[in-house]
């Protein structure tokens, strides 16, 4: 199959490697302001990986020309942080063809909706099948340009939903050779809410803010950064996320329970569960507070959950507190910026029942 991956960060590089290692023709694209990894992969003709998946995966194209990247593509992965979804959608607007499939991975709270709006596609347009996943399928870091270390490829627990949902099972069959453990979700709101990054990353980051600033992140994010009290903060946010899902009639699993299914974690305790999680061992903290763990996971993820909760009548005092503290610490009003809300996604007027039917 001819596959295009939009996004050459660690996640997109892992997707490109894995698809290439399974025998697919892979093209990799990123914008010109991110040249290093693209250039290294083009020069060596592919991607080197070590860890849970390893080897060398050849790629057909690695570059900045969106037309060359999309050439003959049957499946397109959009891989990157939430703030990359709309730029990638804008880049392919008017260039997609009927019969193609697009997967936003991870959806990062409304990713499929955001992509469709930026690509100029109606929500109910299924001539181009668009889906999102609840999380990235890997714990992965770039070792150097052209090389990745994969700490974990998920064993289970990555949900996928199409928008509209009637194509979910067809898309799962399309990707089953590379991702046999991917599971169907009820809707894109289930994939969005099951994404736990906004629940974990800001809580740990804010609780370790001084350590990050004073050491430039010279500690292990989970092993050193999640004390029992930090675990209680994560748990409080998780309960609010689960309550939003319940109001929508959607089952959202507690993150440690999902983490055990995915292969990250060994126990359901919110403190020691993260500290001892095999899938998180050795992952360092970010070097500064100005990082996606706040800018993305608060600015997009928690703001989305808070405004969605407000829309359907679910209180989120813990989530709101973290948004407020992050805004003070970063001198940045994440709530006022409203980068990803039901309003920006065009679903602000829907009832809980209508939202659940997306």
């Amino acid at each position: 199959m001819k596959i295009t991956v939009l996004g050459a960060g660690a996640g997109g590089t892992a997707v490109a490697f894995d698809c290439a290692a399974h025998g697919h023709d892979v093209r990799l694209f990123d914008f010109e302001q991110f040249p290093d990894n693209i250039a290294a992969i083009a020069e060596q003709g592919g991607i080197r990986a070590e860890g849970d998946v390893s080897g060398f995966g050849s790629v057909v194209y690695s570059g900045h020309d969106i037309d060359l990247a999309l050439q003959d593509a049957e499946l397109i992965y959009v891989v990157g942080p939430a703030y990359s979804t709309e730029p990638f959608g804008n880049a392919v607007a008017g260039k997609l063809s009927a019969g193609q499939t697009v997967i936003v991975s991870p959806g990062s709270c409304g990713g499929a909706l955001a992509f469709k709006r930026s690509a100029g596609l109606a929500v109910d347009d299924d001539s181009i099948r668009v889906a999102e996943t609840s999380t990235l399928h890997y714990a992965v870091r770039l070792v150097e340009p052209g090389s990745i270390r994969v700490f974990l490829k998920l064993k289970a627990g990555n949900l996928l939903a199409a928008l509209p949902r009637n194509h979910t099972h067809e898309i799962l069959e399309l990707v089953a050779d590379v991702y046999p453990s991917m599971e169907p979700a009820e809707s894109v709101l289930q994939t969005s809410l099951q994404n736990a990054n906004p629940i974990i990353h800001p809580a740990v980051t804010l609780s370790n803010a001084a350590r990050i600033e004073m050491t430039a992140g010279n500690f292990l994010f989970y092993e050193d950064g999640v004390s029992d009290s930090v675990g209680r903060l994560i748990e409080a946010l998780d309960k609010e996320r689960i309550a939003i899902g319940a109001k929508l009639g959607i089952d959202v699993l507690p993150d440690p329970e999902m983490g055990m299914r995915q292969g990250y974690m060994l126990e359901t305790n919110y403190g020691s569960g993260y500290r001892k999680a095999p899938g998180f061992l050795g992952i360092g903290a970010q070097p500064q507070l100005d990082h996606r763990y706040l800018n993305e996971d608060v600015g997009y993820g928690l703001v989305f959950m808070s405004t969605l909760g407000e829309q359907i009548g679910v209180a989120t005092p813990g989530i709101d507190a973290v948004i407020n503290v992050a805004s003070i610490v970063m001198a940045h009003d994440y709530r006022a910026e409203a980068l990803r809300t039901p309003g920006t996604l065009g679903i602000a007027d829907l009832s809980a029942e209508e939202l659940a039917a997306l």
Side-chain angles (χ1 to χ4, degrees):
M1 183 163 47
K2 298 184 185 301
I3 296 176
T4 296
V5 179
L6 307 182
T13 304
V15 172
F17 167 81
D18 214 356
C19 291
H22 281 80
H24 298 291
D25 291 339
V26 176
R27 292 172 179 259
L28 181 63
F29 167 87
D30 215 331
F31 297 108
E32 291 183 356
Q33 59 263 46
F34 306 110
D36 294 348
N37 199 41
I38 284 287
I41 293 169
E43 182 177 354
Q44 65 194 26
I47 299 159
R48 294 187 176 92
E50 59 183 36
D52 203 21
V53 293
S54 61
F56 184 82
S58 299
V59 299
V60 175
Y61 172 80
S62 176
H64 306 297
D65 187 318
I66 190 63
D67 294 307
L68 283 177
L70 291 174
Q71 186 175 312
D72 300 323
E74 300 165 75
L75 173 61
I76 301 161
Y77 284 100
V78 178
V79 188
Y83 44 79
S84 71
T85 306
E86 284 91 347
F88 283 131
N90 292 334
V92 302
K95 299 178 182 294
L96 301 177
S97 303
Q100 289 179 315
T101 298
V102 178
I103 300 176
V104 183
S105 182
S108 300
C109 297
L113 285 160
F115 178 85
K116 278 199 160 186
R117 285 172 70 85
S118 60
L121 303 173
V123 171
D124 58 354
D125 181 353
D126 63 357
S127 62
I128 298 163
R129 304 183 302 186
V130 177
E132 70 175 45
T133 66
S134 58
T135 190
L136 184 67
H137 217 75
Y138 315 88
V140 59
R141 293 289 187 272
L142 280 170
V143 177
E144 61 183 6
S147 299
I148 54 173
R149 175 165 181 78
V150 180
F151 295 88
L152 176 72
K153 180 178 178 179
L154 297 191
K155 307 297 186 286
N158 192 5
L159 308 183
L160 180 143
L163 182 69
R165 67 177 70 188
N166 56 300
H167 290 298
T168 295
H169 288 279
E170 298 170 31
I171 297 175
L172 283 171
E173 291 176 4
L174 186 68
V175 303
D177 63 329
V178 181
Y179 302 113
S181 64
M182 203 169 281
E183 305 171 27
E186 296 174 28
S187 71
V188 292
L189 281 183
Q190 185 178 25
T191 50
S192 290
L193 289 172
Q194 194 62 69
N195 174 19
N197 284 349
I199 301 302
I200 305 166
H201 293 158
V204 182
T205 296
L206 291 175
S207 298
N208 291 274
R211 183 187 290 190
I212 291 168
E213 289 187 304
M214 299 301 287
T215 72
N218 187 25
F219 65 97
L220 298 175
F221 189 75
Y222 297 95
E223 294 162 79
D224 299 329
V226 184
S227 65
D228 289 343
S229 61
V230 176
R232 288 192 290 273
L233 177 57
I234 298 171
E235 183 176 11
L237 304 186
D238 209 19
K239 288 180 176 178
E240 294 176 5
R241 175 181 72 130
I242 292 167
I244 294 171
K247 185 64 177 286
L248 294 168
I250 294 169
D251 290 329
V252 177
L253 291 181
D255 187 60
E257 182 178 337
M258 179 59 87
M260 290 180 66
R261 290 187 59 202
Q262 293 170 334
Y264 278 110
M265 302 175 72
L266 298 175
E267 58 178 285
T268 58
N269 183 281
Y270 279 86
S272 60
Y274 291 101
R275 287 195 300 274
K276 300 176 183 178
F280 295 139
L281 294 179
I283 295 179
Q286 66 271 40
Q288 58 191 24
L289 293 179
D290 187 8
H291 186 268
R292 66 181 180 87
Y293 282 4
L294 293 180
N295 296 329
E296 177 186 11
D297 291 322
V298 175
Y300 287 78
L302 289 186
V303 169
F304 171 78
M305 291 182 189
S306 174
T307 51
L308 179 61
E310 182 179 4
Q311 180 174 332
I312 63 174
V314 176
T316 56
I319 288 173
D320 295 341
V322 170
I323 294 170
N324 292 338
V325 172
S327 296
I328 293 169
V329 168
M330 296 301 295
H332 188 112
D333 194 338
Y334 291 107
R335 186 180 299 279
E337 195 171 20
L339 294 170
R340 179 84 46 94
T341 68
T344 67
L345 297 175
I347 57 173
D349 296 329
L350 301 184
S351 66
E353 293 75 18
E354 290 169 328
L355 288 167
L358 283 172

